[in-house]
């Protein structure tokens, strides 16, 4: 990301957010990455990062914590290990083994359910080549604290037992020697110590010739000498030899383990990379929990669409003080790209602008932000800010000169992928000249199609925003009665500085204020009032226009819906008539045997003419019914064709059954029949029974089996609409209930899931449209599905 000026991240307090992230990390490597974290401009990377953090946050909320703990990277140790015959130290083994243990726990964490639920996190670790046998072998040598186990090998265990025995023997010898020398008065107050790795007695200098043994050291004052008593020398020698043997055996064990680790150095580096990456993700998720942050909608274009946004740092501060933070909505749609915020001092203009900038940087760093999750953020390649005092003594620049230099840089570099944030636009010089220059710069920014948030007090900028497309006014609402800011942002109208009201509440005398009002004149205040009134009228017109367009859209939808319903009703009517005729045809077939018996009887009675007439009549009636069936089939097909439905059906496209609503992919079309792939099943159906659709919510294989398990002609009293959009679900539900009514089904079971409850409410509302046709609508007991299932009695 291209930022200007160079201290932009500090101006927007992005560095403080990174510092908070760093304190959430387990390892120093992740801490270092947090402190140098930079916003990205690559859309795919940002989206993936946000999904990873959101998944980790979900796991934390559900108490499915990924088993990450403190770790240290062993990069330098791995470089040395690459050298043939190099043996790692105990400390190096401790670091590497700890990494292996964490990776082992992480891989075990992802059972089958969690691999699906946290798929984006599983993708990070699923390709790791991990050998649990190596970890087991290391654990047999080194314990969890990084110490060598006494039973790491049979030889080491024997040495350990011998050392324990010698230490007991040495303790007995020392106790005996201490008792003798204490009785003789030859010991100092401290009695014993360790010198040169050997146990010794503390003897006053004047008695050193009276205690037989080897002198190893003396105190700093020279008043005490440290003597290894003669009775302990042989035991200490044996103990020293055993310690050497132990050290040699440990070296042999570590040498073998080092050789095995040398073979998987690339894998260990992969483990470390994954561990640091997961540590960064958990830090972001942990901070998101503190901020009550959400994953917004991110689009690959410049966009500002914050709903219920909060300044992240201000929210954390107020949260710790049990104070409320006022949210803001800042959404620029259509051609609107720049928001000019005006209002009283200390009313929240600057904090709103900074919050917008900080959250944009956080989103492009794959951090969740405290907004409503329907908020929309775009991707900006450049972010420019002009905030605070820009005075430079080194460059011999005043505040205003420095700001003009910034504006010049912005104008030269800005394009439609740029976000500009400017505080107190045009201030620092004569108001008229400063306002005019600011207006010219605003005009240039608008022409370059940059997006931005600008704060100002200048009336000419408010008027310019009102008159020109692409720029909106915004006001920080002020409580006139209590003369206090509300910190609420209202887009669509300019704000007043309320300077006189604030001045009066500050205690300035009426004489001073009256003189100031005279000097200001009526025009200034009237201009503000007129501008606010015009802006209000403009908003009302725009709102009415939007309402008319929405109603027009609703009418179009209703007309299309009516047309579809009419077509469906015609189809159902013909279908019912067809089924009745087919039933007549079947009944005629069943009556064949009785009629044949009658004809045989008439022939036996020699009444040949009468038998012929009856046979011809039967044949004619059956032929007529069959003809009607054929005509009805053709009518259904032709009616569908006239609605241009068949023309929409194509191989590879999607279609659904008119009656059941079951959806599938068209695999083949053969004349008047089509082959549909529904889940794992292939179904051959008449084209007239299908409707072409786009972007379906395809059911799972299991659900498809349930919904289509019944044979042709039977009706399944259960339906599963989970995973469908509300529109598709209600359309499918209507078909389902209509068929149930036609089939006289007494009880229906509708599986919609619990989720947010939106689909459940929509289902209940749809069922109410059937009125008295439905006797009862209820949810079963919890063990039978509870609120995730709706039962219907017809």
């Amino acid at each position: 990301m291209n930022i200007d000026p160079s201290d932009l991240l500090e101006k927007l307090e992005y560095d403080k957010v990174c510092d908070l992230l760093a304190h959430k990390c387990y390892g120093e490597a992740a801490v270092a990455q947090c402190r140098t974290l930079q916003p990205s401009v690559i859309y795919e990377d940002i989206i993936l990062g946000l999904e990873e953090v959101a998944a980790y946050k979900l796991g934390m909320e559900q108490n499915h914590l990924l088993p990450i703990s403190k770790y240290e990277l062993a990069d330098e140790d791995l470089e040395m290990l690459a050298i043939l015959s190099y043996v790692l130290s105990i400390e190096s083994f401790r670091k590497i083994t700890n990494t292996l243990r964490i990776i082992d726990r992480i891989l075990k964490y992802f059972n089958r359910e969690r691999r699906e639920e946290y798929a984006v996190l599983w993708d990070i670790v699923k390709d790791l080549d991990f050998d649990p046998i190596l970890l087991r072998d290391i654990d047999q040598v080194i314990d969890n604290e990084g110490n060598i186990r006494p039973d790491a090998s049979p030889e080491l265990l024997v040495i350990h037992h011998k050392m324990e025995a010698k230490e007991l023997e040495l303790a007995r010898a020392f106790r005996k020697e201490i008792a003798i020398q204490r009785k003789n008065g030859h010991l100092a107050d401290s009695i014993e110590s360790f010198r040169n790795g050997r146990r010794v007695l503390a003897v006053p200098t004047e008695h050193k010739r009276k205690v037989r043994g080897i002198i190893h050291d003396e105190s700093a004052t020279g008043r005490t000498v440290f003597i290894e008593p003669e009775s302990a020398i042989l035991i200490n020698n044996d103990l020293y030899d055993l310690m050497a043997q132990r050290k040699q055996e440990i070296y042999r064990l570590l040498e073998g383990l080092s050789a095995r680790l040398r073979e998987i150095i690339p894998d260990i580096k992969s483990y470390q990379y994954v561990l640091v990456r997961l540590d960064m993700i958990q830090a972001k998720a942990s901070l998101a929990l503190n901020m009550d942050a959400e994953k917004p909608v991110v689009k690959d274009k410049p966009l500002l669409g914050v709903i219920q946004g909060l300044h992240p740092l201000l929210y954390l501060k107020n949260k710790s003080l049990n104070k409320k933070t006022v949210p803001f909505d800042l959404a620029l749609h259509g051609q609107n790209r720049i928001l000019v915020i005006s209002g009283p001092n200390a009313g929240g203009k600057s904090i709103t602008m900074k919050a917008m900038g900080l959250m944009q940087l956080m989103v492009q760093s794959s951090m969740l932000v405290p907004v409503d999750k329907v908020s929309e953020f775009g991707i900006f390649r450049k972010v420019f800010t002009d905030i605070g005092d820009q005075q430079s003594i080194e460059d011999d620049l005043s505040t205003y000169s420095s700001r003009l230099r910034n504006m010049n840089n912005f104008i030269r570099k800005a394009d439609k992928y740029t976000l500009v944030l400017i505080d107190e636009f045009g201030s620092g010089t004569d108001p008229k000249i400063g306002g005019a220059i600011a207006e010219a710069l605003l005009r240039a920014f608008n022409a370059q199609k940059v997006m931005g948030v600008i704060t100002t007090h200048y009336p000419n900028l408010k008027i310019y925003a009102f008159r020109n497309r692409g720029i909106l006014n915004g006001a920080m609402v002020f409580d006139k009665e209590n003369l206090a800011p509300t910190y609420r942002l209202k887009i669509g109208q300019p704000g007043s500085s309320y300077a006189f009201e604030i001045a009066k509440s500050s205690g300035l005398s009426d004489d001073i204020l009256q003189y100031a009002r005279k000097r200001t004149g009526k025009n200034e205040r009237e201009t503000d009032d007129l501008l606010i009134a015009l802006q209000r009228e403009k908003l009302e017109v725009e709102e009415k226009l939007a309402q008319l367009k929405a109603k027009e859209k609703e009418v179009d939808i209703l007309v299309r819906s009516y047309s579809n319903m009419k077509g469906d009703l015609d189809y159902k009517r013909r279908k019912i008539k067809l089924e009745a005729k087919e039933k007549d045809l079947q009944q005629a077939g069943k009556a064949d045997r009785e009629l044949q018996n009658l004809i045989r009887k008439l022939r036996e009675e020699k009444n040949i003419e009468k038998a012929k007439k009856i046979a011809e009549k039967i044949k004619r009636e059956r032929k007529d019914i069959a003809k009607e069936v054929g005509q009805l089939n053709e009518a259904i097909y032709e009616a569908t064709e006239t609605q241009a439905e068949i023309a929409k059906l194509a191989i590879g496209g999607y279609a659904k059954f008119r009656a059941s609503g079951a959806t599938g992919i068209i695999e083949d079309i053969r004349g008047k029949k089509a082959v549909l792939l529904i889940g794992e099943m292939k179904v051959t159906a008449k084209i007239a029974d299908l409707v072409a659709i786009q972007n379906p919510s395809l059911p799972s294989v299991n659900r498809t089996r349930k919904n289509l398990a019944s044979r042709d002609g039977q009706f399944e009293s259960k339906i599963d609409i989970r995973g469908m959009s509300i529109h598709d679900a209600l359309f499918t539900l209507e078909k389902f209930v209509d068929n149930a009514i036609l089939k006289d089904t007494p009880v229906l079971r509708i599986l919609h899931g619990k989720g947010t409850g939106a689909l459940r409410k929509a289902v209940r509302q749809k069922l109410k449209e059937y009125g008295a046709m439905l006797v009862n609508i209820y949810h079963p007991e919890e063990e039978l599905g509870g609120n995730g299932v709706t039962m219907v009695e017809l």
Side-chain angles (χ1 to χ4, degrees):
M1 177 184 282
N2 185 349
I3 62 173
D4 194 5
S6 58
D7 63 348
L8 177 145
L9 300 181
E10 289 77 20
K11 292 280 188 184
L12 293 176
E13 299 181 290
Y14 176 81
D15 58 321
K16 293 182 179 179
V17 174
C18 291
D19 191 53
L20 290 174
L21 267 186
H23 283 87
K24 301 284 186 182
C25 294
Y26 287 106
E28 288 300 321
V31 169
Q33 286 193 20
C34 284
R35 297 196 190 283
T36 58
L37 184 63
Q38 294 288 318
S40 172
V41 296
I42 302 173
Y43 175 73
E44 292 77 13
D45 292 349
I46 294 168
I47 290 295
L48 177 60
L50 287 170
E51 289 176 349
E52 290 170 348
V53 176
Y56 202 108
K57 175 174 171 271
L58 176 64
M60 296 175 81
E61 290 171 338
Q62 296 180 345
N63 205 28
H64 294 166
L65 301 178
L66 209 64
I68 299 179
S69 54
K70 287 187 177 295
Y71 62 92
E72 294 179 63
L73 298 190
D75 292 334
E76 294 180 2
D77 302 299
L78 293 176
E79 287 182 16
M80 295 301 297
L81 182 61
I83 301 171
L84 196 64
S85 299
Y86 180 81
V87 178
L88 293 169
S89 66
I90 294 289
E91 177 61 22
S92 300
F93 266 104
R94 187 190 64 77
K95 290 188 284 188
I96 294 174
T97 305
N98 184 48
T99 297
L100 295 179
R101 288 194 183 105
I102 296 173
I103 292 297
D104 183 48
R105 291 198 300 268
I106 289 172
L107 290 172
K108 289 176 179 176
Y109 166 88
F110 284 102
N111 56 30
R112 185 177 297 177
E113 291 180 2
R114 288 174 180 166
R115 288 179 186 182
E116 294 179 2
E117 190 170 6
Y118 311 117
V120 289
L121 299 178
W122 169 241
D123 286 343
I124 297 173
V125 302
K126 67 180 181 181
D127 294 327
L128 290 179
D129 187 9
F130 185 78
D131 183 9
I133 296 176
L134 175 59
L135 179 59
R136 184 197 64 192
D137 293 345
I138 293 174
D139 283 339
Q140 288 178 351
V141 176
I142 303 171
D143 63 20
N144 291 335
E145 281 70 41
N147 301 315
I148 300 295
R149 296 182 185 276
D151 59 347
S153 72
E155 294 84 356
L156 195 61
L157 185 59
V158 170
I159 294 169
H160 177 72
H161 288 326
K162 288 181 178 180
M163 287 181 67
E164 284 183 334
K166 284 295 176 183
E167 285 170 352
L168 288 173
E169 186 182 348
L170 182 63
R172 286 195 297 269
F174 255 79
R175 284 197 299 272
K176 186 177 179 180
E177 189 68 30
I178 288 170
I180 295 170
Q181 298 303 333
R182 181 180 285 165
K183 184 178 180 180
N184 296 332
H186 296 160
L187 296 180
D189 293 338
S190 57
I191 301 179
E192 62 176 310
S193 182
F194 276 89
R195 288 292 188 274
N196 301 325
R198 299 170 82 94
R199 195 169 176 181
V200 295
L201 294 174
V203 180
T205 304
E206 61 269 21
H207 299 308
K208 68 181 180 179
R209 301 297 179 189
K210 300 174 183 177
V211 178
R212 296 177 63 83
I214 299 173
I215 297 175
H216 281 274
D217 199 2
E218 66 178 2
S219 66
T221 61
R223 294 179 181 178
T224 305
V225 293
F226 299 97
I227 300 174
E228 181 181 5
E230 189 176 47
S231 60
I233 291 174
L234 290 177
I235 302 172
N236 266 330
N237 286 343
D238 291 343
L239 195 58
Y240 191 81
D241 287 343
L242 289 170
M243 290 173 67
Q245 291 176 31
R246 179 179 181 274
K247 186 176 180 181
Q248 188 175 2
E249 178 61 15
I250 289 173
Y251 183 86
R252 185 186 69 80
L253 292 170
L254 296 184
E255 185 179 33
L257 292 175
S258 296
R260 294 179 65 182
L261 287 175
R262 186 175 294 111
E263 296 173 358
I264 62 164
I265 288 176
D267 290 332
I268 297 172
K269 289 181 177 179
S270 297
Y271 304 156
Q272 292 188 154
Y273 168 78
V274 166
L275 195 51
V276 174
R277 183 174 172 185
L278 289 174
D279 194 9
M280 286 282 290
I281 293 170
Q282 74 81 23
K284 291 178 180 179
S286 180
L287 184 61
L289 276 179
N290 294 153
M291 289 182 177
D292 298 318
E294 297 285 351
K295 180 175 81 71
V297 178
V298 179
K299 297 185 178 179
D300 193 13
K301 62 179 181 179
L303 180 67
L304 296 177
V306 172
I307 307 297
Q308 293 292 290
L310 299 165
H311 190 292
L313 297 175
L314 179 63
Y315 176 66
L316 287 177
K317 178 183 176 183
N318 287 344
K319 187 178 179 181
S320 66
L321 300 173
N322 290 321
K323 290 173 62 177
K324 182 183 178 182
T325 306
V326 180
F328 66 90
D329 294 348
L330 199 163
L332 299 180
H333 299 293
Q335 295 182 347
N336 296 320
R337 295 180 301 276
I338 300 175
L339 179 65
V340 177
I341 305 177
S342 51
N345 287 322
K349 298 189 301 296
S350 299
I351 199 72
T352 301
M353 178 199 65
K354 287 181 179 180
M356 192 65 246
L358 177 57
M359 287 194 290
Q360 185 64 49
L361 296 177
M362 289 174 66
V363 167
Q364 290 193 225
S365 301
S366 294
M367 284 189 256
L368 309 189
V369 286
V371 297
D372 191 291
K373 58 186 175 184
V374 300
S375 297
E376 295 181 339
F377 283 81
I379 304 297
F380 293 96
R381 298 174 188 171
K382 303 173 185 178
V383 177
F384 301 152
T385 66
D386 187 83
I387 300 171
D389 187 2
Q390 304 289 327
Q391 188 174 20
S392 174
I393 296 174
E394 292 179 0
D395 296 334
D396 193 24
L397 291 172
S398 67
T399 298
Y400 188 66
S401 299
S402 180
R403 300 193 78 168
L404 287 180
R405 187 176 69 173
N406 282 345
M407 294 303 115
N408 186 41
N409 288 335
F410 297 171
I411 292 294
R412 284 190 298 105
K413 299 177 183 178
D415 56 28
K416 65 179 181 179
Y417 299 105
T418 303
L419 175 64
V420 174
L421 306 169
I422 304 175
D423 194 24
E424 300 294 348
F425 194 28
S427 64
T429 189
D430 180 272
K432 289 187 178 180
I433 298 173
I437 294 175
E439 186 176 319
L441 290 168
L442 183 58
R443 176 175 173 271
F445 285 137
N446 193 30
Q448 290 175 312
K449 300 188 182 304
V450 304
M451 296 198 79
V453 180
I454 294 170
T455 72
T456 187
H457 287 287
Y458 288 168
N460 66 307
L461 296 183
K462 304 175 196 177
I463 294 171
Y464 188 84
F466 171 73
R467 289 176 175 171
N468 291 271
R469 287 187 175 183
I471 309 175
L472 277 179
N473 273 305
M476 301 309 298
V477 179
F478 188 76
D479 185 351
K480 295 180 184 179
E481 294 182 3
N482 299 312
L483 296 177
T486 64
Y487 306 110
R488 289 190 295 108
L489 173 64
K490 187 172 184 180
I491 293 180
Q493 72 176 50
S496 171
S497 63
Y498 293 100
F500 289 117
E501 289 82 355
I502 295 173
K504 186 175 181 180
S505 68
S506 300
L508 289 180
S509 67
D510 291 339
D511 291 341
I512 294 174
L513 294 175
Q514 188 175 358
Y515 180 82
R517 284 194 176 94
K518 286 181 180 179
R519 296 296 299 164
T520 304
K522 293 182 179 179
N523 291 340
E524 191 76 23
R525 190 58 179 267
E526 288 175 354
T527 300
D528 261 2
D529 292 342
L530 178 61
L531 190 58
I532 291 171
L534 288 171
Q535 192 78 52
R536 190 182 297 113
E537 290 177 7
K538 181 183 177 184
L539 278 176
E540 288 175 358
V541 171
E542 289 175 350
E543 286 176 4
K544 287 180 180 178
L545 185 60
Q547 289 172 1
L548 286 172
K549 287 182 178 179
K551 287 181 179 178
E552 185 180 351
K553 190 175 181 181
E554 287 177 7
V555 170
D556 288 342
I557 292 171
L558 286 172
V559 169
R560 286 198 298 272
S561 178
Y562 172 76
S563 178
N564 291 336
M565 287 172 65
K566 185 176 182 299
D568 289 343
L569 286 171
D570 289 343
Y571 170 83
K572 285 179 182 178
R573 187 169 58 252
R574 293 188 183 95
K575 193 75 173 176
I576 291 168
K577 192 173 180 181
L578 174 64
E579 288 173 355
K581 288 297 179 181
E582 286 176 338
K583 192 172 181 180
D584 290 344
L585 191 61
Q586 290 172 358
Q587 288 174 347
K590 290 177 183 177
D592 266 358
R593 187 175 296 173
E594 295 177 10
L595 292 170
Q596 291 296 333
N597 291 335
L598 178 61
I599 291 171
R600 192 180 302 112
K601 189 175 180 181
L602 290 172
R603 283 176 177 171
E604 290 172 357
E605 293 176 357
K606 307 294 184 180
N607 198 344
I608 301 299
E609 288 300 323
K610 188 175 181 180
K612 282 183 178 180
K613 288 179 181 179
I614 292 173
E616 287 175 1
K617 182 181 179 183
I618 293 168
K619 193 181 292 183
R620 190 166 54 252
E621 287 176 355
R622 290 189 64 187
K623 187 176 180 180
D624 290 343
I625 293 173
K627 185 178 180 181
E628 284 187 48
V629 169
Q631 288 174 345
L632 283 169
N633 263 317
E634 195 65 32
I636 290 174
Y637 184 82
E638 293 298 329
T640 307
E641 192 172 34
T642 58
Q643 296 173 18
E645 290 292 344
I646 292 176
K648 297 177 185 177
L649 297 172
I651 296 174
Y654 296 97
K656 69 177 180 180
F657 283 91
R658 292 176 179 273
S660 67
T663 302
I665 301 172
I666 301 173
E667 195 173 76
D668 194 12
I669 296 177
R670 303 167 186 168
K672 295 184 180 182
K673 291 188 177 182
V675 179
L676 253 68
L677 184 63
I678 304 176
E680 291 181 342
M681 296 188 300
K682 288 185 179 180
V683 179
T684 301
K686 296 176 182 177
I687 286 179
D689 291 340
L690 301 177
V691 178
I693 57 171
Q694 292 181 343
N695 301 324
S697 298
L698 289 177
S700 66
V701 173
N702 290 336
R703 198 187 308 168
T704 302
R705 287 174 178 160
K706 289 179 182 177
N707 285 350
L708 297 179
S710 57
R711 296 180 179 178
D712 190 25
Q714 295 179 341
F715 179 77
E716 184 73 18
S717 62
K718 297 177 289 185
I719 189 171
D720 188 345
I721 56 175
R722 291 176 298 176
M724 298 184 185
S725 68
I726 290 179
H727 179 269
D728 288 344
L730 295 183
F731 187 79
T732 302
L733 177 64
E734 182 178 354
K735 301 291 184 186
F736 172 71
V737 177
D738 288 348
N739 279 330
I741 293 170
L742 289 173
K743 299 288 185 179
D744 291 327
T745 307
V747 179
L748 304 179
R749 179 181 174 89
I750 303 164
L751 180 58
H752 44 65
K754 295 181 180 179
T756 61
L759 186 54
R760 181 177 71 247
K761 292 177 182 176
V763 166
R764 181 169 284 270
Q765 192 65 32
K766 184 67 178 176
L767 292 172
K768 287 181 179 178
E769 295 176 7
Y770 287 84
M773 298 179 73
L774 308 184
V775 177
N776 192 14
I777 304 171
Y778 63 95
H779 300 298
E781 293 79 15
E782 195 61 35
E783 58 269 24
L784 297 178
N787 290 339
V789 175
T790 294
M791 303 296 296
V792 180
E793 294 178 6
L794 301 182

